[in-house]
Amino acid sequence: LPLALAKRGWYFGLLSCLVVAGTSLGTVAQERSFTDRVAPDECLMFASWSGSNGKVEDPNNHAELLMAEPEMQEFFGAIARQASNLAGMAMRNEPAMKQKAAQLVAPEVLTMLFAKPGALFIDSFEMGPQGPLLSAGVVFDTGDNASQLMGAFATLIQSEGIALKSGKLDGEQAYALAVPDAPMPLTVFFAAANGKLVIGLGKDTTERLVKIAKGEGAAADPAWLADVKAQLPLKRRTSVGYLDIESTYKIALGFAGEDGQQVQAMADSLGLGNLKNLVSSAGYENEGIVDHTRLNWNGEPSGILAMIGSQPLNLKSLSYLPDDTLFATSLSLDLADAMDQMTALMGEVAPNELDELNYTLEQIEDETGINVRSDLLEPLGATWTIFNGAGDGLGSGVVLTVDVDDEEAVEQLIGEMIDTFGQIADPSAPKIVKREFGEATVYTGQVYGLPMPFQPSWALHEGHLFVSLYPQILRPYLEPSELDKKLELSDMAKQENVVAYSYIDSRRQYELLYTYAAVLGSMGGSFAQEFGMGPDAEILAQAANEVSLPSLRSMYRHVIPTESVLKADENGWQATNYQTVPSVNMAVVAPVGIGLLLPAVQSARVAARRMQSSNNLKQIALAFHNYESAYRRFPAAYSTNKEGEPLLSWRVHILPFIEQQALYEQFKLDEPWDSEHNLALLEFMPEVYRSPESFAEPTMTNYLGITGEKGVVMVDPDAPAGTPAGCRFRDIIDGTSNTVMVIEASDALSVEWTKPADFDPGEEDFDMLFGMLEGGTNAAFADGSVQFLSEYMDFEVLKAMFTRDGGEVVNF
């Protein structure tokens, strides 16, 4: 909807930004406020926020104190004023009425964004007889300006030549807009009632919102909203969010069409089919603001979701954090288990990539003697922590730790690495040197022939592996001083079932970032004047100079550390964020997520089809190799009669090698493909010859061999009649991994699958070759691999791949 409306004018884009960027700033929300009453009985997505009036209800809460700072209020006011000025500038050549409307809308929209309560929802999205049907609404508490603001919107819409219908909804003035050029039937209604601006899709939905704005509505929360509040209890709630992932997932699958089952299989293997809903709630608590977000699932997590948090954090890993920690992040991730999960997942969705991964792992073991899983990953624990103490230097002082389950195995691995590098005679080769810090040994990798700006170092100590960019950074953690203090962990980090934790010293972050912000802010006017065009330059420069950043001290005194935890239980994950500056409610941006689902589903569909095409070619390539094993030659392009006339394609003759022996035996091999008998077998084309992207007739195939006068794999038979014998492995002197056998061509080049016709490359046919897959096409090479060839590839390079003995160098 935002994309469709944004095409009709800047004001719709501005409104869309407001809907998407709603914030969890707010005052204490009242029970059964109008934002609660907006919640429908059933919905796909809901978000509400209570706004901020700049008042302080708890003098100990730094989040409230920060937003009530006079400098902050002045900053937001200046932004609103300049928005009005810039809107006037943008409309200076428009009629006076349109200019005034734009100047009213711009600051009011910003005020609604930062200071006013509101709610939005999508209650249904389904396929109707004329296309998708969407029911949604949004309500803003704009105060006394509601009617004036609605009139300004109407003026701007009508000034664009878009027809508006005027009428009444529950006795209140309203407008209706049939959105032109929308991808689905959409009628947007605007109304104002009791200081509320109401926007809805559908007359019934908008009329319900008008009644709510006037004080009517259900006496109790709908079941799903009550459940959200029960899951995430807060005394001073400022926002609520809800996204029904399970239902949204089913809707997305509905748009997958005939590929629905394949897309679902892929999504389920990733673990997306187990997701139930996403709920969030934020509010004031103690000294700051807390934001809870919970992801619930049905059953147990699977796919990528099962890789994280299989066991809680080892708190000892957090005991090394210095008291001047700038940032720290700790995550529970068992890499050995994650590798098992990943390979199982790849086996389902990307078997070719899994084969390549296994081949790479085998090569590593052959060359180094190290089994990546058993020797490198399995001895490690599951708690990974990365942190940086201010006293260690910003960036240069980053330290990574992981707890170790089997110290003996890790020590043995380090010893093997030292032995391997020590046997290299080249003086410029990497070396590993040792030094002692206390009772720990630090190993440092050095390359003497190459000026490297760091010295990667690691050490085993107290059941942990420490890694840093420089060896001296590790010394305080391996040989601690009594003067060094450790970070005192909060109760958040010490909760049960915590699988991830992060800490940020927000004050130091403000110190670092404020300097850059101040410099850029001071130069904003100069940039605007230098790069602006015509009379706009001076107006832009003035607007930039009118907005001054609040002083660092006005913010600094209210900033507390930011902490986040992720907890896992049998029903899902719950993330809690505690800080001074309110964060964006996750559910508020859900409309964007829902909007992105359609292209995401399309991408999944494309990926699934591309994978199916790759698998088809993989089977064909395997059949070629099995054919060669049986007859000592690859199949020729076609078979012939005694006179040398073409009869049947190679696609017929490899049927026994793609499990189609019964179909092969039905052909009369001494008759041409279009004889009365053989022509009747066209309709039995095997699925392996059917491109998943093709719209050609069911008897046509897009999988074509590369033919030509000379130098190709798919040659004419060198003997008449009998089994068609083609070239041999030894004839492919360019290398089997550089030579294409079969390619997936576009529908424009498709042929009857039994017909002795293939692709004879010529520059005039180059563009016709592509078109089945976005960006290029799949091709089977003589080594049995399947590669994706870009449509932007130079013709001469592609032609080099089509020949087996041209001697060209092909740079993949």
Side-chain angles (χ1 to χ4, degrees):
L1 174 62
L3 292 176
L5 297 183
K7 295 178 182 178
R8 308 306 304 176
W10 68 271
Y11 41 91
F12 281 128
L14 193 59
L15 184 62
S16 301
C17 290
L18 170 64
V19 171
V20 171
T23 170
S24 60
L25 295 173
T27 59
V28 59
Q30 301 297 319
E31 290 299 322
R32 294 306 297 157
S33 65
F34 92 92
T35 56
D36 286 340
R37 296 197 304 274
V38 168
D41 292 336
E42 302 288 341
C43 75
L44 294 174
M45 190 284 301
F46 176 83
S48 68
W49 53 97
S50 59
S52 175
N53 57 16
K55 295 180 180 180
V56 177
E57 298 194 16
D58 182 356
N60 296 315
N61 190 283
H62 288 287
E64 285 187 283
L65 292 170
L66 173 65
M67 301 314 299
E69 277 284 344
E71 290 187 40
M72 294 295 291
Q73 295 293 315
E74 182 182 334
F75 175 66
F76 292 133
I79 291 177
R81 288 192 302 274
Q82 296 314 312
S84 180
N85 293 338
L86 293 176
M89 179 193 76
M91 295 288 180
R92 65 176 179 273
N93 296 324
E94 301 292 340
M97 183 177 294
K98 188 174 181 180
Q99 288 186 44
K100 291 181 179 179
Q103 288 177 307
L104 172 63
V105 166
E108 283 295 332
V109 165
L110 289 174
T111 301
M112 287 191 298
L113 173 60
F114 288 108
K116 300 295 185 180
L120 64 93
F121 65 87
I122 300 173
D123 55 350
S124 67
F125 189 75
E126 57 188 3
M127 187 64 68
Q130 296 181 338
L133 298 176
L134 176 66
S135 177
V138 57
V139 182
F140 302 103
D141 186 349
T142 58
D144 297 335
N145 293 333
S147 297
Q148 188 180 10
L149 188 57
M150 183 185 67
F153 274 123
T155 298
L156 289 171
I157 293 171
Q158 290 173 323
S159 68
E160 294 291 323
I162 302 174
L164 272 181
K165 292 184 179 180
S166 177
K168 298 284 185 179
L169 282 177
D170 199 43
E172 303 294 336
Q173 178 66 40
Y175 296 94
L177 162 66
V179 181
D181 304 327
M184 63 185 78
L186 288 178
T187 301
V188 181
F189 290 83
F190 302 85
N194 195 27
K196 313 293 192 302
L197 178 64
V198 173
I199 306 172
L201 292 180
K203 183 177 179 181
D204 292 342
T205 297
T206 312
E207 191 166 23
R208 182 181 77 86
L209 295 179
V210 169
K211 292 180 182 294
I212 291 170
K214 294 167 70 174
E216 303 176 26
D221 291 336
W224 63 264
L225 180 56
D227 186 49
V228 172
K229 292 181 177 180
Q231 288 186 65
L232 308 173
L234 284 170
K235 291 181 179 179
R236 302 184 61 204
R237 196 186 311 274
T238 59
S239 69
V240 172
Y242 173 81
L243 175 63
D244 185 342
I245 300 178
E246 188 174 14
S247 298
T248 305
Y249 174 60
K250 292 177 181 178
I251 292 171
L253 288 178
F255 282 90
E258 62 183 16
D259 298 316
Q261 290 184 344
Q262 197 169 15
V263 173
Q264 182 176 4
M266 180 181 294
D268 287 347
S269 65
L270 294 172
L272 304 182
N274 286 0
L275 299 182
K276 185 178 181 181
N277 57 43
L278 175 73
V279 298
S280 62
S281 182
Y284 294 111
E285 187 172 280
N286 300 326
E287 294 184 327
I289 193 164
V290 63
D291 188 346
H292 297 294
T293 301
R294 183 172 179 83
L295 180 64
N296 294 307
W297 50 58
N298 296 308
E300 295 185 356
S302 60
I304 56 176
L305 298 179
M307 295 186 186
I308 299 176
S310 59
Q311 52 188 290
L313 292 180
N314 179 358
L315 287 182
K316 186 177 179 181
S317 298
L318 300 179
S319 67
Y320 297 104
L321 302 182
D323 66 342
D324 62 352
T325 296
L326 291 172
F327 68 85
T329 299
S330 191
L331 174 68
S332 172
L333 179 62
D334 188 317
L335 286 186
D337 287 347
M339 183 176 180
D340 293 340
Q341 295 280 353
M342 183 184 69
T343 53
L345 181 61
M346 291 178 67
E348 294 184 27
V349 302
N352 292 340
E353 285 74 8
L354 178 59
D355 291 341
E356 293 182 11
L357 174 63
N358 289 332
Y359 177 71
T360 302
L361 294 175
E362 289 173 3
Q363 282 189 314
I364 292 175
E365 186 168 6
D366 290 340
E367 295 178 8
T368 66
I370 297 174
N371 182 287
V372 171
R373 189 195 184 285
S374 60
D375 298 337
L376 183 61
L377 303 183
E378 195 169 320
L380 301 178
T383 298
W384 296 77
T385 305
I386 185 170
F387 61 92
N388 192 167
D392 296 322
L394 178 61
S396 61
V398 172
V399 176
L400 172 69
T401 71
V402 57
D403 53 343
V404 175
D405 291 339
D406 189 341
E407 287 192 59
E408 184 178 346
V410 174
E411 288 177 346
Q412 181 179 345
L413 179 62
I414 293 174
E416 292 174 356
M417 291 174 59
I418 294 175
D419 291 342
T420 299
F421 284 109
Q423 294 173 7
I424 302 175
D426 187 352
S428 63
K431 305 294 182 184
I432 297 177
V433 299
K434 297 191 296 182
R435 55 171 57 86
E436 304 297 327
F437 287 150
E439 297 180 358
T441 301
V442 177
Y443 302 88
T444 300
Q446 295 183 339
V447 183
Y448 296 109
L450 181 67
M452 292 175 58
F454 52 86
Q455 296 174 297
S457 303
W458 62 94
L460 270 175
H461 180 62
E462 296 181 343
H464 283 74
L465 177 66
F466 290 77
V467 182
S468 67
L469 296 176
Y470 305 95
Q472 60 269 26
I473 299 301
L474 295 181
R475 186 163 192 165
Y477 306 103
L478 306 177
E479 192 178 11
S481 166
E482 294 180 357
L483 299 177
D484 292 332
K485 298 184 181 301
K486 300 301 181 184
L487 182 69
E488 186 175 346
L489 295 179
S490 69
D491 292 337
M492 287 181 66
K494 298 175 183 177
Q495 298 176 82
E496 293 184 358
N497 301 320
V498 171
V499 297
Y501 170 78
S502 72
Y503 172 91
I504 298 175
D505 187 336
S506 303
R507 281 191 170 186
R508 292 184 183 271
Q509 189 181 63
Y510 270 56
E511 290 174 5
L512 293 169
L513 297 179
Y514 187 86
T515 302
Y516 297 103
V519 170
L520 292 175
S522 65
M523 300 172 64
S526 301
F527 284 145
Q529 192 163 22
E530 183 175 352
F531 297 108
M533 299 294 290
D536 294 349
E538 186 174 348
I539 298 175
L540 288 170
Q542 182 179 355
N545 288 325
E546 287 291 329
V547 179
S548 297
L549 284 174
S551 66
L552 175 59
R553 190 172 297 278
S554 69
M555 297 181 286
Y556 188 87
R557 55 176 165 251
H558 299 302
V559 177
I560 60 177
T562 298
E563 289 188 273
S564 302
V565 297
L566 177 66
K567 295 193 299 182
D569 57 45
E570 60 183 6
N571 296 317
W573 288 341
Q574 180 167 324
T576 299
N577 190 61
Y578 182 73
Q579 58 186 8
T580 306
V581 181
S583 58
V584 174
N585 189 318
M586 285 293 293
V588 175
V589 298
V592 177
I594 292 175
L596 292 175
L597 274 176
L598 295 182
V601 169
Q602 176 61 22
S603 297
R605 180 191 306 175
V606 170
R609 288 180 170 178
R610 178 170 163 178
M611 187 179 302
Q612 181 59 50
S613 167
S614 177
N615 289 337
N616 288 347
L617 282 167
K618 193 75 174 176
Q619 290 186 57
I620 291 172
L622 180 61
F624 267 63
H625 280 229
N626 290 335
Y627 189 100
E628 193 277 339
S629 295
Y631 300 110
R632 315 314 301 170
R633 288 175 179 260
F634 285 116
Y638 49 83
S639 58
T640 64
N641 56 22
K642 294 180 180 180
E643 288 73 34
E645 299 170 335
L647 297 179
L648 292 163
S649 167
W650 58 268
R651 287 175 289 268
V652 173
H653 291 283
I654 68 168
L655 286 175
F657 302 96
I658 57 172
E659 301 181 358
Q660 294 287 336
Q661 179 70 37
L663 177 59
Y664 180 69
E665 292 174 353
Q666 294 183 51
F667 280 90
K668 291 187 176 181
L669 302 180
D670 57 347
E671 294 183 4
W673 73 277
D674 55 354
S675 69
E676 182 178 358
H677 175 83
N678 287 341
L679 207 58
L681 298 175
L682 268 181
E683 62 179 295
F684 300 109
M685 184 176 78
E687 283 298 315
V688 71
Y689 293 147
R690 191 182 309 280
S691 168
E693 290 284 0
S694 177
F695 289 96
E697 293 296 322
T699 59
M700 309 286 282
T701 184
N702 300 84
Y703 297 118
L704 308 181
I706 308 301
T707 59
E709 293 183 3
K710 61 179 181 178
V712 293
V713 174
M714 202 69 67
V715 298
D716 295 338
D718 63 359
T723 302
C727 74
R728 297 160 293 191
F729 265 117
R730 68 186 185 189
D731 297 326
I732 308 175
I733 60 176
D734 284 351
T736 57
S737 62
N738 296 327
T739 306
V740 173
M741 293 190 304
V742 180
I743 198 165
E744 182 178 20
S746 70
D747 280 345
L749 297 176
S750 62
V751 300
E752 290 86 352
W753 71 277
T754 60
K755 184 178 180 179
D758 288 282
F759 179 65
D760 189 350
E763 193 160 5
E764 66 279 0
D765 300 320
F766 184 62
D767 291 336
M768 296 175 65
L769 182 63
F770 297 97
M772 293 305 295
L773 299 172
E774 184 177 350
T777 191
N778 284 321
F781 284 69
D783 65 349
S785 67
V786 176
Q787 307 287 345
F788 185 77
L789 304 181
S790 170
E791 64 183 359
Y792 303 108
M793 185 180 295
D794 183 82
F795 173 72
E796 293 302 323
V797 176
L798 187 61
K799 190 166 67 172
M801 292 184 182
F802 289 164
T803 60
R804 70 177 191 270
D805 55 3
E808 308 95 339
V809 175
V810 177
N811 187 352
F812 274 95

